[in-house]
Amino acid sequence: MSKGIYVATIEPNSGKSVVVLGLMRMLLGKTARVGYFRPIIEDLETGEMDNHINTVMSHFELDVNYKKTFAYTRNQVLDLYNQGKSGEVLDEIIKKYKNLEEHFDFVLVEGTDFSHENSSLELDINILISKNLGLPVIIVSQGDKKELKEIVDSVQLAHNTFKQDVDVLSIITNKANPDYISTLKEQLKTRISNGTDITVIPKIPNLSSPTVKEISKALGGEVLFGHDMLNNLTESFSVGAMQLRNYLMHLKENALVIAPGDRADIILGALQANISKNYPKIAGIILTGGLIPEEPILKLIEGLSSIVPLISVKGGTYNVTSSIGNIKSRIYAENTEKITTSIAVFEKHVDTDKLADKLITFESDVFTPRMFQYNLLQRALNDKKHIVLPEGSDERVLRAAARLTNAHVVELTLLGEEDKIKDLIEKLDIPLNTDEINIVSPTKSPHFEDYVSTFYELRKHKNVTLEMARDTMSDVSYFGTMMIYKGHADGMVSGAVHTTQHTLRPALQFIKTKPGVNLVSSIFFMCLEDRISVFGDCAINPNPNAQQLAEIAISSAQTAKEFGITPKVAMLSYSSGASGKGIDVEKVREATDIVKAQASDLKIEGPIQYDAAVDARIGKTKLPDSEVAGHASVLIFPDLNTGNNTYKAVQRETGALAIGPVLQGLNKPVNDLSRGCTVDDIYSTVIITAIQAQNQ
């Protein structure tokens, strides 16, 4: 049984990083612990980390020692091969890999980069390593600036070469011309017809464009200004050799300006154009000749409101320009935008379920937070829902919206003034494409008067007048909730700015509760190291009676089931079984009996103490005949004071990720955020809300 996969490329600049990042994300969603290994890395300066390893380890927060993630540098391997010690190389690689295999459920192995000459030797080394590790292979190629026949021939040759020694599970061709993707895929399937998966990914401009940081590093530049914008993408470049009035006409969006360091007119003109609404934004400015602007010019630049990177480099303009044209883009740890784009591209074009079925040939009882989050994302992607975010002017909401749109997981509507929101996005440099979202100002919406009339009809028995309805419907929480009521949105997430009462009041007034449900309650998904627990109710109901506690338990069990968690319900108290006495424990005992009567198929235990509910050893001691004790997945607290304090204690002391509160019981999903919520909290809550909408 294989516990790993080997990703091998057959040429330079194949886009292998897109595959590795996408695979790592997929694997972390399918199995508990994933290791990462590069048998051979590039030669490095003393103290420098391999870029591939650093990117994967930091982004996915892998718990592995850096020195254990590789075996040799390129020159070390060549030296040993020249000494006839190729066997020694393989022995060390196998040793390092096996060490990782013992500590991880699955290991993703990334082959070499083909960044130097002697590609035939490199191909042989990758085949030899994958063969001796006993790993199946994913072959990565690239189709940029190639004819169809050339791509198909090279891929078929690589497949046939690998297939002699190892199993090839999948072939992924990156950077293909979008115009011939389907043709290329068909031709590859015709040539390679043995069941190997064939995937073709189009060229993505954002991934092919180098950042200013990459260009500066390649040229050995000195950054004078704009350190915080070094991750700007450069989609083109041009030389400022003509007079300013003529050069301005040649500026393009995200272009890199190249000019001698003493051309103050070009420098200042380009910087001014960058902040002008009449000209495109530029990525940065390269100052050639080793010349630095004079002090008055530097002082003037320093006082500007926005400064793109200004980088001084040695060498004449012609040579520098030629060098820039040869720089290839890379993905590195600090460039999170490229990383998230790479993952989104992989998930869009690769049949991850089919690939995962081939890769994961074993089952694990462990259910980690990453597995849970991955499963959530996949479920949301299966049936895209429309979520409204009333707090469209909050920075955290905007940054979460950028992540959500980049993942293409939901359709979003932000409520607020369009000009204000767009200005804020630009000012905060948030990578949110406003063409991919809806921005609605309630009073300017074409639905406003209809919403007013609807609210009036719903609430006139409560003495609401048309004027009162109009004033109420201008409130973003009411407007967003009415969007759901009218079917113009599937769910709402609010609370980053507004109170819980402000978020819930309109939902209770006209969304109302599901049939047979009398109580709106909440749960938190507590993402512990090796499992996901559901905690309820930790946010809404202060002191539920027995009937209410039973309803919370039934709703929480149903929520757990909807999210792929088998419900085993523990009704928590200060005693376990029949030993405890007192009003509080009797309430829990009565609630447990009500649940057993109303949901007889539900596995439930109560009263039970927390330790007996989650620790198998203690559970067996205190309640030896219980199916739930020691294995509880849904924990119901007797009151809000206990629940809220417990979830926060577990969160802080264990480092668990707490997703919620997730509201349950409403006819349509409305979820409340904490006013101290993070971007991650909003992102996760929106995805959960979308899944709740799928289940309505």
Side-chain angles (χ1 to χ4, degrees):
M1 180 181 294
S2 172
K3 290 186 63 176
I5 183 70
Y6 195 100
V7 181
T9 185
I10 60 175
E11 57 196 321
N13 306 309
S14 64
K16 176 161 55 71
S17 292
V18 172
V19 177
V20 169
L21 291 167
L23 276 173
M24 182 59 75
R25 172 66 174 270
M26 184 192 79
L27 290 167
L28 286 168
K30 295 292 184 181
T31 190
R33 285 171 53 80
V34 181
Y36 174 73
F37 183 52
R38 290 201 76 202
I40 304 169
I41 63 174
E42 295 299 308
D43 298 301
L44 303 168
E45 297 292 335
T46 303
E48 187 180 3
M49 286 183 69
D50 176 74
N51 177 62
H52 293 246
I53 297 173
N54 185 39
T55 300
V56 172
M57 285 183 61
S58 61
H59 184 76
F60 296 103
E61 299 176 356
L62 300 185
D63 183 18
V64 57
N65 185 295
Y66 170 72
K67 292 183 179 179
K68 295 181 179 180
T69 60
F70 68 95
Y72 294 103
T73 66
R74 175 184 292 273
N75 276 337
Q76 287 173 337
V77 169
L78 292 176
D79 287 342
L80 288 168
Y81 261 66
N82 290 334
Q83 296 174 41
K85 297 180 179 179
S86 58
E88 184 176 321
V89 171
L90 280 175
D91 287 344
E92 181 65 13
I93 288 173
I94 292 169
K95 178 182 175 182
K96 287 249 183 178
Y97 171 79
K98 288 297 183 182
N99 180 266
L100 289 172
E101 191 181 59
E102 289 174 7
H103 292 87
F104 293 90
D105 299 313
F106 203 91
V107 182
L108 173 57
V109 183
E110 181 181 354
T112 57
D113 295 333
F114 278 71
S115 55
H116 295 266
E117 297 294 330
N118 208 344
S119 59
S120 61
L121 173 61
E122 198 155 354
L123 185 69
D124 290 340
I125 290 174
N126 281 282
I127 294 173
L128 196 60
I129 293 171
S130 56
K131 177 182 178 180
N132 281 275
L133 295 181
L135 298 179
V137 171
I138 293 176
I139 298 174
V140 184
S141 65
Q142 62 100 354
D144 191 24
K145 300 176 182 178
K146 291 182 180 179
E147 297 296 327
L148 273 171
K149 187 177 185 305
E150 180 184 1
I151 300 170
V152 175
D153 286 347
S154 64
V155 169
Q156 183 184 22
L157 178 61
H159 170 266
N160 292 344
T161 305
F162 272 90
K163 196 68 178 175
Q164 294 176 27
D165 294 293
V166 296
D167 290 324
V168 179
L169 292 188
S170 176
I171 294 173
I172 300 176
T173 300
N174 268 318
K175 304 181 183 180
N177 186 327
D179 294 335
Y180 56 57
I181 284 181
S182 58
T183 304
L184 175 58
K185 194 169 185 179
E186 286 303 317
Q187 290 190 16
L188 286 170
K189 284 184 175 180
T190 300
R191 293 278 198 96
I192 304 167
S193 56
N194 61 353
T196 301
D197 289 339
I198 304 293
T199 299
V200 179
I201 299 176
K203 185 174 182 179
I204 309 297
N206 284 359
L207 296 178
S208 302
S209 302
T211 63
V212 177
K213 180 178 180 179
E214 289 176 281
I215 292 172
S216 176
K217 183 177 180 180
L219 298 176
E222 176 187 0
V223 181
L224 305 179
F225 297 97
H227 289 81
D228 58 335
M229 295 188 188
L230 287 172
N231 285 328
N232 285 353
L233 293 176
T234 59
E235 297 179 2
S236 64
F237 56 89
S238 61
V239 178
M242 57 188 70
Q243 291 189 14
L244 177 62
R245 65 176 182 271
N246 294 319
Y247 181 68
L248 289 174
M249 304 303 294
H250 294 274
L251 287 178
K252 295 180 180 179
E253 193 73 20
N254 297 324
L256 184 70
V257 175
I258 305 169
D262 58 359
R263 284 295 302 272
D265 57 333
I266 294 293
I267 299 168
L268 295 176
L271 288 171
Q272 190 62 41
N274 182 64
I275 60 177
S276 170
K277 293 183 178 180
N278 296 326
Y279 287 91
K281 289 190 173 299
I282 62 173
I285 302 174
I286 298 293
L287 307 179
T288 62
L291 300 172
I292 295 177
E294 296 175 348
E295 188 61 33
I297 303 300
L298 293 174
K299 186 175 181 181
L300 182 59
I301 294 171
E302 190 175 0
L304 294 176
S305 59
S306 178
I307 311 174
V308 296
L310 262 71
I311 298 166
S312 175
V313 301
K314 300 185 184 301
T317 302
Y318 177 82
N319 290 334
V320 168
T321 304
S322 297
S323 298
I324 290 174
N326 293 322
I327 294 172
K328 303 297 182 182
S329 176
R330 295 195 310 161
I331 296 173
Y332 50 90
E334 296 83 2
N335 198 331
T336 55
E337 184 178 350
K338 276 194 177 183
I339 294 173
T340 55
T341 299
S342 297
I343 293 170
V345 166
F346 181 89
E347 292 176 340
K348 179 179 180 181
H349 294 281
V350 176
D351 187 340
T352 53
D353 287 337
K354 185 177 180 181
L355 182 58
D357 286 341
K358 287 190 171 185
L359 293 178
I360 310 298
T361 56
F362 62 95
E363 293 184 0
S364 173
D365 294 331
V366 179
F367 195 35
T368 68
R370 288 198 178 276
M371 292 164 61
F372 180 62
Q373 289 175 298
Y374 175 85
N375 290 339
L376 291 181
L377 182 61
Q378 294 307 304
R379 286 186 60 185
L381 284 167
N382 285 338
D383 183 9
K384 196 172 179 179
K385 294 298 181 181
H386 182 180
I387 307 300
V388 57
L389 304 176
E391 298 154 328
S393 297
D394 184 85
E395 179 180 354
R396 294 163 297 171
V397 170
L398 292 174
R399 293 195 182 280
R403 285 181 58 188
L404 290 160
T405 54
N406 192 44
H408 304 289
V409 67
V410 290
E411 180 184 348
L412 287 179
T413 290
L414 301 180
L415 298 185
E417 295 299 323
E418 185 172 2
D419 289 344
K420 181 179 178 182
I421 290 174
K422 286 184 175 180
D423 287 345
L424 196 59
I425 290 170
E426 184 177 357
K427 178 183 177 182
L428 298 172
D429 194 29
I430 298 172
L432 175 58
N433 184 352
T434 54
D435 291 336
E436 296 183 4
I437 59 171
N438 309 301
I439 301 177
V440 177
S441 172
T443 56
K444 296 176 183 176
S445 167
H447 298 296
F448 182 70
E449 291 301 328
D450 176 47
Y451 287 7
V452 170
S453 298
T454 301
F455 184 72
Y456 168 70
E457 292 298 326
L458 290 170
R459 303 293 292 174
K460 64 184 180 182
H461 68 285
K462 293 289 187 179
N463 299 319
V464 171
T465 65
L466 268 173
E467 195 56 39
M468 291 167 64
R470 182 170 284 102
D471 184 58
T472 300
M473 204 46 57
S474 64
D475 180 278
V476 290
S477 290
Y478 274 89
F479 188 90
T481 307
M482 185 59 76
M483 285 181 68
I484 303 170
Y485 181 82
K486 299 288 284 188
H488 297 154
D490 300 307
M492 184 176 85
V493 174
S494 188
V497 177
H498 297 107
T499 63
T500 296
Q501 186 179 29
H502 196 147
T503 298
L504 283 184
R505 186 188 295 115
L508 294 173
Q509 286 180 356
F510 54 91
I511 294 291
K512 300 188 180 298
T513 56
K514 294 177 181 178
V517 176
N518 301 308
L519 188 72
V520 174
S521 59
S522 74
I523 59 97
F524 278 88
F525 290 107
M526 299 300 295
C527 302
L528 301 161
E529 184 178 1
D530 59 351
R531 67 186 186 278
I532 308 296
S533 293
V534 172
F535 282 17
D537 175 354
C538 304
I540 302 294
N541 298 287
N543 191 25
N545 58 35
Q547 181 62 50
Q548 291 171 328
L549 200 59
E551 189 166 322
I552 291 170
I554 293 171
S555 293
S556 300
Q558 181 60 34
T559 299
K561 191 174 181 180
E562 288 173 356
F563 284 88
I565 300 168
T566 301
K568 293 184 178 181
V569 182
M571 305 294 284
L572 298 176
S573 182
Y574 56 76
S575 71
S576 296
S579 61
K581 304 294 181 183
I583 296 175
D584 291 334
V585 74
E586 287 301 328
K587 179 181 78 170
V588 174
R589 187 172 286 118
E590 182 183 351
T592 304
D593 291 339
I594 293 171
V595 173
K596 288 179 178 179
Q598 295 183 355
S600 57
D601 60 337
L602 191 61
K603 293 180 180 179
I604 185 169
E605 187 66 62
I608 186 172
Q609 292 161 290
Y610 185 93
D611 58 350
V614 300
D615 188 301
R617 182 182 59 83
I618 298 173
K620 188 172 181 62
T621 300
K622 293 187 175 183
L623 296 166
D625 299 324
S626 173
E627 290 184 274
V628 173
H631 305 284
S633 57
V634 179
L635 297 103
I636 305 301
F637 295 89
D639 54 60
L640 184 60
N641 182 54
T642 307
N644 193 268
N645 277 295
T646 302
Y647 107 76
K648 288 181 178 177
V650 171
Q651 181 186 34
R652 293 295 183 270
E653 293 302 316
T654 68
L657 172 66
I659 302 176
V662 177
L663 303 188
Q664 52 195 15
L666 290 167
N667 269 316
K668 298 286 184 179
V670 173
N671 278 313
D672 180 42
L673 298 162
S674 159
R675 275 171 283 178
C677 65
T678 65
V679 173
D680 285 341
D681 294 334
I682 300 170
Y683 176 82
S684 297
T685 304
V686 168
I687 291 176
I688 283 174
T689 306
I691 295 171
Q692 286 181 305
Q694 293 174 354
N695 297 323
Q696 296 300 316

